[in-house]
Every structure is written in C-alpha cells, then in structure tokens.
Amino acid sequence: MSTDHTAPHQAGALPRHPTVADHIVSRLFSWGVHRYFGYPGDGINGMTSALQRTNERAQFIQVRHEETAGFAASAHVKYGGGPLGCALVTSGPGAIHLLNGLYDAKLDHQPVVALVGHTATTAEGGGYYQEVDLLALYKDVAAAFLAQLDHPAQVRHLVDRACRTALARRTVTALVLPLDIQDEPAVVDPPHAHGYYQTSNAPSSTPTVPPEADVRRAAEVLRGGQRVAMLVGQGALGARDEVREIADRLGAGVATALLGFTAVDHREPWVTGAIGLLGTRPSWQLMTGCDRLLIVGSNMPYSEFYPPPGQARAVQIDLDGTQLGLRYPTEVNLTGDARPTVRALLDELGPGPAPTAWRAEIAEATSAWRRVQRDLAEQAADPVNPQLLFHTLNERLPDDVLLAVDCGTTTAWYARHIQVRPGMLASLSGTLLSMGGAMPYALSAKFAHPDRPLVALIGDGAMQMNGVNELITVAKYWRSWADPRFVVLVLNNRDLAFVSWEQRSTEGTPMFPDSQQLPDIAYHQWAEVLGLRGELVDSPEQLPSVWDRALSADRPVVINALVDPAELMLPPHFTAEQARKTAAAVLRGDTDWAGIVRRGLPATLASYRPRRRRDR
C-alpha cells in the first residue's frame, strides 16, 4: 500500500515514578499509538490508570463490546487514523471477545497491536477467575509476534518488536499483560548487561521498487496487448494517479476489489467497478475478454472471476512477495510499493499509442450497465426497492464523505450503485467478510476524521448483531465531533437476505424462516430514545427529502428503511445451475415465492438485456 507509516520517535511524557503500564503507553506513543479502542475490566486496571495519567496525550475510546474494539483498531489504519491500530481489553472474556475484530485486521493485512490483560503472575496456574491460556488462544491471530510481559525490563523490547512486526508484516501482534506486572515500577532504561536488550523505535524501511530487470520483463509482457485488463485492490490506495496513467498508457479497463474502491474514480468510463460475486457485468466481460492482465495490490480470491488460465499474459505487483502468483499464473511478479513500482513500469513502457477499440467497448459496456442499474433501482418494489436508496444516495454524497459498509446485501448495492470518487474514504471487512463490521468502522473513521461527514450502510442482521448497542457509543461521543453528521442506513427487510439467496442459488432449498427471519425493530425510534434523530422510510417518494435531511442534520441520524426482501442479487455471470436451483427453491415452497417471481423476471430481463458488441 502506498502509505507513509513513519512514526514519531519521541516517547510520551512519563510520570515522576512511572509504572510498567506508564512505560507501555509512553513507548507505544513513540510508535504513533495515540488512540486505544476497548472496554475496561480489572485485568487492565494498571493500563487504564496509566492512560488516565497521560494528560490526554492518548485517548481511550470506550466501545460497548470488545469485538468492536478489534474492528475499530483495524479500521483506524484503513481510514488513515494512524500507522498502528491498538485494542486494549481485559483478561478472559474480554480477550476472547476481541478475536473476531483482530481476525479482520489479520486477513485484511492491517497493522494492529492487541493489549490483553491477564491473571496476576502469582495466581497463574491456579485456576483463578477468568484465567485463560491467552498464549494458546492468540497463537494464530497474532502468529507474527505474541509475548507475555513478565518483567518490567521487557517493556521496551516487547513493545518495539510488537510494533515493528505489525508494521513490517502488516498484521496483528499481541502482548499479554499480567495484572500485577502492570503496576510494578518501570525500568525505563534496561541495563547494559547480559540478558537485557537495548532496542530502537525508529521505523523500518520498506521495499519500494523491484529490480530494473524485472520491471523491464513486466513491460515486455504488457507491451503490445490489445485488450488489457487491470485489477486493483487496497495495495493501490495512494497510487490513484499512477493507476490512471498506466491504464491510459495501456488502453486498459480497470476492475476493483472492494478494498480498492478508492484507488480509482468510479465515474470514469473505463472503470468497470467491483469484481467477483457482487461485482459488475462489465468487470466480468473485462476479464473474460482480455489478452493481458495487470494486478496491482489485490488478491481477490474468487479464481473463477479471473481470465481463464492461458488466455492472458499477466503481471502482478504487491508489497508482500508471499502474495504474488496465488490467484493466476502470472509471468512476472514485482515485489514493491504500488506507487513507485507503477511509476517505474510507466518509465519502462515509455510513450506509445494505446489501443482504442478495446476501451470503447469497455466504455460502452460500462455505460449500458450503469443504465441498467438505474433502471433496476427505479423499478417498483414492496414497499421500497433497496437499490433506490443507494442510487439516490450516490447523487447526494458529499465530496469528503466517509463510507462504512457492512457485509450482506448492503455490500452488493454499495458495489453496484456508489461511485466512489477522489476525496472520499470507504472500507469494509474485505476478507473476513464479517457481519457487524460497519458500525465499528464508522466509529473509528469518525474519530480519525471528526470534521468529515459519515454514512454507514448496514443490513438489519448486522444492526441487530451489534449496531443497536454501538449507537450508544455514538450517543456518548457525537457532541465531541466537529461535524456531527453520522448517518446510519438500516436496510430493514426482516430477513438475512444474503444467506437466503445463497441457500436458494447454491442449495436449491427454500428460505428457512427459523434460521433467517429477523424481528422487525423500530431502529429510528431507538435512535430517538438515545437523543439522536430517526427517520422511517416506507415509500420511495420519501427518499430524496430523507437523504437531504440526514446529510444536513445537526446530530447523528438513523434511517430505518423498510425494503423488499425479494430484491434479487444477480451475480455478473448467473449460471444455468444457479438459475435451476433458485427455481427449485421456489417450487419447493419458498415463503417468499411470490416476491421472487414478482421481482425476478424484470430484474433478470434488465440485467441480461442484450447489448451491441464491437468487433475486436
């Protein structure tokens, strides 16, 4: 990823008689950690006391659940809040709750340091309350570096190694902090003696540009391609100009992984949008028709959405060499940072005429797709078409908006209707694909940028999972934000709709009400109970004015949108087998069979309307 992660080298001020906890906070501050997401407990009393003594140099954000702390720590880096995310939780149940959010950071390659309290060393091994083998529990999520601090002289080298490893490997590291050690007198300067370490908090350099010979080989592969496709992911963030230049030079179309949405301007005719199961038809056509493929900072795992093996000659760029060549048989793999590597590749390619017919075909397909999506959004539904919410929002998004997206049908409509443009920041749980990520992401984004408006896009399943609770966190903090706009859209269809559609299309079985139906909750009224603003949407005519009110409100707003659970999420390549199984689910008595028939036929006809193709 093209991001400057240089950390300050000066530690935070220490009290006159510092404790181990004071020393940890000070040393973490020197690595750029100034915000801790967590929930208190007696296993970290020493740490929270130290944070109280920092004179506001470090901020503790109290969330409602430790899982939120993990998600928020991951999002803290994604939204540019700092070089490192940090979660602080208590022993036993707190440490267990944290894991899901940490796995989000691990799978999306975000540097996060987890601080977990533990039983006092004097009681370890005695079956004490909340005593859990944390070193065993965390050995996978924090496999890059995991240690227990058992002596005050360890603070410097354990904190330094945890931070350096998290940054260098872009992953999760963890320190286990026994309660009694936290309050021991600090050893700020370990002795120059056997068995002690004198470590550095200066950041490590990172690989930048691959060897010239490898760049030359990559240019030879790409040069001469008449139908070039690019796939960009989060590794291309910060390299938007370079991505645009090389796309223009190669005459390429550009598809994006969800985590790479902000690496391009989605208003461009050659940007085909998302790839994969929730992607666009032009992205599918781009990959099935290309003769060259350039992958920049992406490891999108759905192999069936890449070109068929042998069709395209391919080059891949990634900062982590271990991620290269995992999804497609690439000819040249360039280990390097996206921005300088693409710049070096541009220099090697030099000027040259770009193929025009291919780009014209891409632009035609993309334009047709966008018209179809608009038509689909405007089709009548019962009571509201969820796609219309996203279509009307797209036209009103502020230029500097922060977007937080949950996993489910919300992700599909976001991917197909929101045209992210320069100046916006957007993210989601991209690889773990965990429900319940959007509200923690939204909170973290807002703390990173309290002067910018935010929109969170959440399904009712995720909202019931943790969103209703974290609205309490919003109510606790919103008055401290320079810009109070914090808009939460809840798609209320009383159904775990994504799961229902997967069950229909992959299993051929009807929606299982006991498993997938959800209670109908008045989310807008809950917001009002908390002193926030609530909006109920049960008619499409309400939408323009609701969005306008929400995006100009003087406090956070929750929009409870009653949407049609039968709205189809057709993949860009809907196979005959998927169609057969969906039909079988209907014939077997799906409780929403009438809605599927009502919405399915017009949606299918619109999505797969024949288009005029250009000769290649």
Side-chain angles (χ1 to χ4, degrees):
M1 179 183 290
S2 298
T3 306
D4 183 5
H5 280 160
T6 301
H9 300 171
Q10 297 301 314
L14 285 164
R16 184 175 180 182
H17 300 291
T19 66
V20 165
D22 291 318
H23 191 194
I24 293 171
V25 171
S26 173
R27 197 68 179 178
L28 284 169
F29 186 87
S30 75
W31 282 94
V33 175
H34 56 86
R35 186 169 292 130
Y36 298 72
F37 296 93
Y39 200 81
D42 60 1
I44 53 170
N45 278 347
M47 287 297 299
T48 53
S49 296
L51 288 172
Q52 191 174 19
R53 292 190 290 266
T54 60
N55 297 319
E56 300 180 352
R57 292 172 67 89
Q59 182 182 24
F60 182 83
I61 306 298
Q62 182 207 80
V63 294
R64 311 274 66 77
H65 192 281
E66 290 88 354
E67 181 186 51
T68 297
F71 277 122
S74 175
H76 179 77
V77 184
K78 289 185 176 184
Y79 287 96
L84 280 164
C86 187
L88 172 62
V89 301
T90 192
S91 56
I96 295 168
H97 285 164
L98 180 64
L99 284 171
N100 193 55
L102 292 184
Y103 271 105
D104 176 63
K106 178 183 175 72
L107 269 62
D108 278 355
H109 306 287
Q110 301 304 311
V112 169
V113 176
L115 305 175
V116 292
H118 192 37
T119 304
T121 55
T122 53
E124 284 182 32
Y128 200 72
Y129 286 114
Q130 300 186 337
E131 184 179 359
V132 173
D133 187 348
L134 295 180
L135 294 177
L137 184 68
Y138 273 66
K139 68 179 181 179
D140 178 51
V141 74
F145 183 70
L146 168 65
Q148 180 169 311
L149 195 157
D150 289 324
H151 190 280
Q154 292 178 287
V155 169
R156 182 191 287 188
H157 73 262
L158 289 188
V159 170
D160 286 351
R161 190 173 178 191
C163 293
R164 189 180 309 282
T165 304
L167 287 167
R169 299 191 182 178
R170 301 198 59 79
T171 191
V172 174
T173 59
L175 297 179
V176 177
L177 309 176
L179 175 61
D180 53 336
I181 302 299
Q182 296 172 39
D183 288 321
E184 288 285 317
V187 178
V188 178
D189 295 307
H192 182 57
H194 182 74
Y196 294 90
Y197 296 107
Q198 303 288 332
T199 55
S200 165
N201 62 351
S204 304
S205 64
T206 57
T208 53
V209 183
E212 184 178 341
D214 291 339
V215 175
R216 186 177 305 115
R217 287 176 52 229
E220 290 170 358
V221 169
L222 295 171
R223 190 180 288 116
Q226 295 301 302
R227 303 185 304 277
V228 183
M230 290 178 60
L231 169 60
V232 301
Q234 66 172 334
L237 300 179
R240 183 185 294 115
D241 291 345
E242 286 74 16
V243 167
R244 180 190 178 93
E245 285 185 46
I246 200 164
D248 287 342
R249 168 62 182 83
L250 297 171
V254 177
T256 59
L258 287 174
L259 288 174
F261 249 44
T262 58
V264 293
D265 185 343
H266 286 254
R267 298 170 298 181
E268 296 285 0
W270 43 268
V271 174
T272 60
I275 190 173
L277 189 64
L278 303 182
T280 72
R281 190 161 178 80
S283 290
W284 168 263
Q285 294 162 343
L286 179 72
M287 292 296 161
T288 56
C290 68
D291 64 4
R292 300 289 192 279
L293 174 63
L294 173 59
I295 306 169
V296 183
S298 175
N299 258 289
M300 192 278 296
Y302 290 145
S303 59
E304 68 270 29
F305 290 94
Y306 288 86
Q311 172 188 295
R313 303 181 67 188
V315 172
Q316 186 173 0
I317 299 170
D318 203 288
L319 189 62
D320 182 355
T322 66
Q323 300 298 305
L324 293 165
L326 296 181
R327 312 300 184 197
Y328 192 79
T330 47
E331 287 188 44
V332 181
N333 294 312
L334 300 177
T335 302
D337 189 41
R339 181 188 293 165
T341 301
V342 173
R343 177 60 58 193
L345 190 53
L346 278 164
D347 292 342
E348 189 63 44
L349 285 167
T356 57
W358 172 242
R359 259 214 171 168
E361 184 175 335
I362 293 166
E364 180 186 358
T366 302
S367 177
W369 166 267
R370 291 172 182 171
R371 288 194 301 271
V372 166
Q373 298 313 297
R374 182 192 62 218
D375 293 345
L376 285 171
E378 292 174 349
Q379 288 180 354
D382 182 19
V384 177
N385 188 330
Q387 301 196 61
L388 186 60
L389 285 148
F390 289 74
H391 178 70
T392 53
L393 170 62
N394 184 61
E395 299 168 347
R396 291 166 171 80
L397 283 174
D399 290 336
D400 61 343
V401 74
L402 308 165
L403 292 166
V405 186
D406 221 294
C407 290
T409 56
T410 309
T411 323
W413 312 140
Y414 160 75
R416 297 182 181 190
H417 290 282
I418 301 299
Q419 293 184 333
V420 177
R421 55 187 187 268
M424 297 179 177
L425 290 175
S427 198
L428 74 164
S429 176
T431 310
L432 187 61
L433 298 175
S434 176
M435 289 175 61
M439 190 64 84
Y441 271 46
L443 286 164
S444 189
K446 195 65 175 180
F447 279 107
H449 305 283
D451 58 342
R452 295 174 64 169
L454 180 136
V455 177
L457 307 169
I458 305 177
D460 50 0
M463 194 66 184
Q464 291 182 19
M465 187 174 284
N466 64 0
V468 289
N469 288 332
E470 293 305 336
L471 275 180
I472 300 173
T473 310
V474 174
K476 174 181 171 70
Y477 287 107
W478 74 266
R479 290 176 179 82
S480 67
W481 298 331
D483 186 331
R485 290 177 293 174
F486 189 105
V487 182
V488 179
L489 169 66
V490 183
L491 296 185
N492 183 359
N493 56 19
R494 291 73 63 200
D495 179 19
L496 291 172
F498 195 97
V499 178
S500 296
W501 282 112
E502 284 182 319
Q503 189 165 321
R504 291 171 181 128
S505 64
T506 62
E507 300 293 328
T509 55
M511 190 268 276
F512 182 27
D514 290 355
S515 167
Q516 279 111 262
Q517 280 188 351
L518 295 170
D520 186 4
I521 304 299
Y523 305 101
H524 60 297
Q525 293 180 358
W526 173 232
E528 291 167 352
V529 167
L530 296 174
L532 311 178
R533 186 163 295 168
E535 296 272 4
L536 175 65
V537 174
D538 56 9
S539 169
E541 290 74 24
Q542 298 170 273
L543 282 181
S545 60
V546 165
W547 280 126
D548 290 341
R549 286 197 300 273
L551 290 168
S552 60
D554 64 353
R555 65 191 59 208
V557 178
V558 174
I559 300 173
N560 180 17
L562 306 185
V563 299
D564 195 335
E567 190 67 12
L568 265 69
M569 293 186 307
L570 293 175
H573 180 59
F574 196 47
T575 66
E577 180 67 9
Q578 289 170 323
R580 184 189 67 78
K581 288 183 175 179
T582 301
V586 173
L587 293 173
R588 288 170 181 163
D590 196 295
T591 56
D592 204 12
W593 69 268
I596 295 172
V597 173
R598 170 177 49 80
R599 292 298 300 128
L601 183 59
T604 303
L605 291 175
S607 291
Y608 292 91
R609 183 183 301 150
R611 67 179 181 87
R612 181 171 54 86
R613 292 180 60 89
R614 294 174 182 265
D615 293 332
R616 292 181 187 143

